[in-house]
């Protein structure tokens, strides 16, 4: 698609290869997870929306200290995030969603997903299992360490 084509533009280019009004799956390819794909697809079909995103709670990058009047009440090193969800990067969408993408210069996470949200056509599949991004060398090293020490977590 070229260096200048953004995430939405790249995705829109698959429209010509897919049957009209069909569901399909996609991912960014930089995340490792044990998302149950069958459950994700079942959830998407049940919701009857144009697109479903897998929502995850990532591990915190830093430790968390809860302080009350200069006294530490809780000290946890890199706890699992307990509030808020983020885009886990695994999606099920209907080809009609791709019509929200206007061209190669479209960022998927901007206009298309914001429009789907406004039209109440975006659902979130909450994944509580393993999820980790692999954006930088440090992420890769952490994943290799997890795999080496705890293979059963991934599969």
């Amino acid at each position: 698609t070229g260096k200048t084509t953004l995430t939405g533009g790249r995705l829109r280019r698959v429209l010509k290869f897919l049957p009209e009004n069909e569901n399909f799956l996609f991912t960014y390819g930089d995340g490792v997870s044990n998302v149950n794909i069958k459950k994700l697809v079942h959830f998407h079909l049940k919701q009857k929306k144009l697109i479903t995103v897998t929502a995850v709670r990532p591990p915190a990058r830093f430790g968390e200290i809860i302080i009350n009047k200069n006294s530490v009440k809780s000290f946890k090193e890199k706890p699992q995030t307990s509030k808020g969800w983020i885009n886990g990067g695994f999606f099920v969408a209907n080809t009609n969603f791709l019509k929200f993408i206007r061209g190669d210069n479209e960022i998927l996470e901007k206009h298309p997903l914001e429009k789907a949200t406004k039209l109440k056509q975006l659902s979130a599949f909450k994944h509580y299992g393993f999820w980790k991004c692999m954006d930088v060398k440090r992420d890769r090293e952490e994943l290799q360490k997890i795999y080496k020490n705890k293979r059963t977590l991934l599969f």
Side-chain angles (χ1 to χ4, degrees):
T1 60
K3 292 180 182 180
T4 60
T5 305
L6 301 179
T7 52
R10 291 176 183 175
L11 187 59
R12 183 169 168 86
R13 288 186 181 211
V14 303
L15 183 59
K16 63 185 174 187
F17 300 107
L18 299 172
E20 193 173 320
N21 198 29
E22 284 286 325
N23 293 312
F24 66 101
L25 291 89
F26 69 95
T27 184
Y28 299 118
D30 63 354
V32 178
S33 183
N34 63 355
V35 173
N36 184 313
I37 299 298
K38 287 182 182 180
K39 288 182 179 180
L40 171 61
V41 171
H42 178 74
F43 176 86
H44 174 74
L45 296 173
K46 188 176 173 185
Q47 296 301 305
K48 299 180 181 175
K49 307 283 185 184
L50 286 179
I51 185 163
T52 298
V53 60
T54 300
V56 298
R57 287 190 167 140
R61 185 172 168 203
F62 302 103
E64 176 184 65
I65 300 174
I66 299 174
I67 304 168
N68 185 1
K69 297 182 182 178
N70 296 326
S71 179
V72 175
K73 299 297 177 190
S74 174
F75 185 98
K76 294 181 182 177
E77 185 60 21
K78 299 182 181 177
Q80 182 72 29
T81 303
S82 61
K83 295 180 181 177
W85 295 86
I86 66 164
N87 171 1
F90 295 89
F91 298 84
V92 181
N94 185 281
T95 53
N96 290 321
F97 167 74
L98 297 177
K99 296 172 186 172
F100 293 174
I101 303 169
R102 300 172 289 196
D104 282 356
N105 294 324
E106 192 86 76
I107 298 171
L108 174 68
E109 301 79 13
K110 289 290 191 179
H111 174 77
L113 287 175
E114 289 171 359
K115 183 172 181 176
T117 301
K118 187 176 180 180
L119 295 173
K120 298 182 178 170
Q121 288 298 313
L122 175 63
S123 60
F125 176 76
K126 293 178 180 177
H127 175 64
Y128 294 93
F130 181 83
W131 179 89
K132 181 89 174 85
C133 65
M134 192 167 77
D135 295 329
V136 295
K137 184 180 178 206
R138 183 169 153 245
D139 296 333
R140 180 178 177 267
E141 290 167 356
E142 286 178 18
L143 278 165
Q144 286 178 324
K145 192 176 192 179
I146 291 167
Y147 180 73
K148 184 178 179 182
N149 295 327
K150 301 177 183 178
R151 290 180 186 210
T152 56
L153 273 180
L154 297 175
F155 306 102

